[in-house]
């Protein structure tokens, strides 16, 4: 519940119509619920102002706009210069209205959505938690998450993405996090940021303005993340596989389609066995970061371990889908060199669990890699051979380098000109018992291959 008068105070909006209390806030005119405020955002391909009448018809009792719109009498209108800026200001003011609330922000080149899911699960062992839904981690998605806070919420776990310097800092100005977590720094967005140092600098913005009584939870095995420790006044907590980490993982084993490892808490010397329903060392890192973050808020590692045993991850991130006698690993939300290597390792572990079933990797372009693109794609090809993939099917101009490298190393591969051609090849070659990995940047639509098996 948020009052129109409070929104006007936070945004400087000109308020006309009834001074109502809205039941919620939405930017989607198709999903308006009775009593909500509709925010008319504008983009390159749409203008939310065109949908104000539809939003009111569906139950909106107010609109936030940057230009006059025709609405029925009795509808509250909040007029501002910039609806996106006002949306963000509204969310920040709403977040501030909950005095005891804690906000825990997460970023990283890879794995931040899975880390968010795991951290929310671990914190949920003791607190009432809300988290970013899906991957709503940008300048629109973050305010949406904050506006879902209720009077019962104790901790909000928010994911923060970026494509350039200053963007995470801007998100932090909205969310005002008490604690921050950096999962890792890798080669994503290299085309835009130019170097690993710049990527590390951009990610470290999440800890710059944390309060002294907050926590900076950092990957102790990643030098670019470790460097962020010098930039924060918050208490620094390291996680990783290295012996110096405050929360250290060891004894990692794949059991069926899950992972078992030991987490040791340096300060107390306590150790606990952790069982995850997902495969891969990268997921061990995600779980360790969640346990470290939860421990900052008084949750024992034993309780975190119990919570993580039942944690469910957001779809399209190494999502295991069994269709008939074929297993598909849908990891097609996005792609970087590090996440591709992790996915190929997962495919190799799945092959062991399925008694050496045939493995097929359907790999598409990794985008925004700039000058390192060819080298990065060739590395993926080498990893595919190294991790024993039986057949590599690629499409997209950059992915051709993957196939070329696999062929050079004697692996079985085929490169297709486009998605449709790749689907035709996959449809013809797939057999019962196969394990098929789907991996590529989101816009390559690799996950559309799932439709071949339904």
């Amino acid at each position: 519940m948020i009052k129109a008068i409070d929104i006007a105070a936070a945004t400087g909006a000109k308020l006309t119509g009834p001074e109502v209390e809205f039941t919620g806030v939405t930017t989607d005119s198709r999903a308006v619920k009775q009593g909500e405020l509709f925010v008319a955002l504008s983009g390159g391909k749409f203008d939310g102002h065109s949908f104000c009448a539809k939003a009111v018809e569906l139950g909106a009792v107010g609109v936030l706009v940057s230009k006059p719109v025709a609405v029925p009498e009795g509808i509250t209108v909040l007029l501002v210069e910039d609806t996106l800026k006002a949306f963000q200001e509204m969310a920040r003011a709403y977040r501030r209205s909950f005095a005891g609330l804690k906000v825990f922000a997460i970023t990283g080149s890879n794995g931040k959505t899975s880390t968010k899911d795991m951290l929310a699960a671990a914190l949920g062992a003791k607190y009432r938690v809300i988290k970013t839904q899906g991957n709503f981690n940008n300048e629109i998605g973050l305010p949406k998450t904050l506006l879902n806070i209720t009077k019962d919420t104790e901790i909000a776990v928010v994911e923060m993405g970026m494509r350039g310097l200053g963007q995470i800092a801007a998100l932090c100005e909205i969310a005002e996090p008490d604690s921050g977590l950096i999962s890792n720094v890798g080669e994503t967005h290299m085309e835009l940021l130019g170097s690993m140092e710049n990527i590390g600098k951009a990610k470290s913005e999440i800890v710059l303005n944390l309060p002294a009584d907050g926590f900076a939870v950092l990957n102790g095995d990643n030098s670019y993340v470790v460097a962020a420790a010098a930039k924060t006044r918050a208490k620094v907590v390291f996680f990783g596989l290295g012996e110096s980490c405050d929360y250290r993982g060891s004894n990692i084993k794949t059991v069926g389609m899950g992972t078992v490892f030991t987490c040791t808490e340096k300060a107390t010397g306590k150790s606990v066995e952790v069982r995850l329903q997902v495969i891969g060392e990268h997921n061990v890192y995600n779980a360790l970061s969640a346990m470290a973050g939860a421990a900052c808020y008084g949750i024992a590692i034993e309780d975190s371990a119990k919570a993580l045993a039942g944690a469910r991850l957001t779809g399209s991130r190494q999502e295991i889908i069994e269709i008939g006698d074929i297993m598909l690993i849908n990891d097609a939300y996005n792609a970087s060199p590090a996440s591709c290597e992790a996915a190929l390792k997962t495919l190799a572990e799945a092959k062991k669990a399925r008694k050496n079933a045939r493995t097929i990797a359907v790999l598409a372009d990794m985008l925004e890699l700039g000058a390192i693109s060819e080298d990065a794609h060739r590395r993926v090809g080498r990893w595919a051979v190294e991790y024993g993939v039986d057949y590599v099917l690629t499409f997209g101009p950059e992915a051709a380098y993957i196939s070329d490298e696999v062929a050079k190393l004697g692996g079985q591969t085929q490169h297709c000109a486009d998605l449709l051609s790749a689907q035709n090849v996959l449809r013809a070659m797939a057999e019962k018992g196969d394990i098929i990995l789907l991996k590529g940047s989101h816009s390559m639509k690799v996950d559309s291959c799932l439709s071949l098996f339904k």
Side-chain angles (χ1 to χ4, degrees), residues 45 90 98 127 129 149 164 177-178 186 202 257 324 331 351 365 389 446:
K45 297 181 179 179
M90 181 199 323
F98 297 90
Y127 300 100
V129 179
I149 294 167
D178 301 278
M257 292 305 295
D331 196 17
K351 181 175 182 175
D365 293 358
V389 179
V446 191

Side-chain angles (χ1 to χ4, degrees), residues 5 75 85 104 118 136 217 219 276 294 328 342 365 373 395:
I5 194 169
I75 296 298
K85 182 180 178 182
F104 206 136
M118 290 189 183
F136 289 167
V217 180
N219 185 331
L276 305 177
L328 294 119
D365 293 358
S373 185
F395 69 92

Side-chain angles (χ1 to χ4, degrees), residues 323-372:
I323 302 177
D325 294 319
I326 293 177
M327 174 187 289
L328 294 119
I329 303 174
N330 182 20
D331 196 17
Y333 180 75
N334 223 329
S336 67
S339 69
C340 280
E341 182 179 20
L344 291 167
K345 285 182 178 179
T346 297
L347 186 60
E349 292 296 332
K351 181 175 182 175
K352 293 177 187 176
R354 296 269 290 212
K355 298 181 180 179
N356 294 315
R358 184 176 68 161
T359 53
I360 301 171
V362 183
L363 306 175
D365 293 358
M366 301 178 290
L367 304 177
E368 298 182 359
L369 292 177
I372 71 163

